[in-house]
Amino acid sequence: MDREEVANKIRRGPFCVRCRIHGISSVVRGHKRFCNFRNCTCHRCILIAERQRIMAKQVALRREANADMMMGYRRMEFEQPGWRMGEDAERAARAERRRKLLDRKRG
């Protein structure tokens, strides 16, 4: 077996998630602008788009925090614009609904 055969056999990602859920295996590099499912509106593609937006926000926040640390600033947790995922998100949503109900009753 030569190098090309080994490289083809061990073809590793990252792969395009949208293509993958539609049954096609496409490597991401150089593929973004030419993805056949870039504008797909099926429910799975919509979920993937949401996840990509969330991840982009997380990366932006992390980079901002790192830049602040490099500049010597220290942001408090409550000052950072943020959002929670999973169980924390459910708990936060319930607390927000309770707060709104109480505000309605008071107002």
Side-chain angles (χ1 to χ4, degrees), residues 61-97:
L61 286 171
R62 192 175 324 119
R63 287 181 180 163
E64 184 181 345
N66 288 342
D68 287 348
M69 280 185 10
M70 295 298 285
M71 296 293 290
Y73 300 127
R74 184 169 178 203
R75 296 175 80 179
M76 300 301 287
E77 188 175 324
F78 62 86
E79 292 177 342
Q80 291 182 353
W83 28 269
R84 300 176 182 107
M85 294 175 60
E87 190 175 314
D88 290 337
E90 292 173 10
R91 196 175 309 133
R94 281 194 301 266
E96 185 65 27
R97 283 193 295 267

Side-chain angles (χ1 to χ4, degrees), residues 2 13 16 18 20 39 42 46 80 82 89 93 98 102-103 105-106:
D2 64 352
C16 176
R18 291 180 187 222
R20 189 182 71 215
N39 298 318
C42 74
I46 290 171
Q80 291 182 353
R98 268 189 252 123
L102 289 173
D103 288 343
K105 289 179 181 178
R106 291 179 191 156

Side-chain angles (χ1 to χ4, degrees), residues 52-66:
Q52 287 172 335
R53 276 192 292 275
I54 289 170
M55 293 301 290
K57 287 179 184 178
Q58 282 181 334
V59 169
L61 286 171
R62 192 175 324 119
R63 287 181 180 163
E64 184 181 345
N66 288 342

Side-chain angles (χ1 to χ4, degrees), residues 36-54:
N36 293 330
F37 304 102
R38 191 169 109 194
N39 298 318
C40 180
T41 57
C42 74
H43 69 281
R44 292 188 296 181
C45 285
I46 290 171
L47 287 174
I48 288 167
E50 272 183 49
R51 190 179 76 198
Q52 287 172 335
R53 276 192 292 275
I54 289 170

Side-chain angles (χ1 to χ4, degrees), residues 15-34:
F15 293 100
C16 176
V17 179
R18 291 180 187 222
C19 287
R20 189 182 71 215
I21 64 169
H22 289 283
I24 299 172
S25 179
S26 300
V27 177
V28 171
R29 181 168 288 221
H31 172 76
K32 181 178 178 179
R33 291 180 298 177
F34 307 109

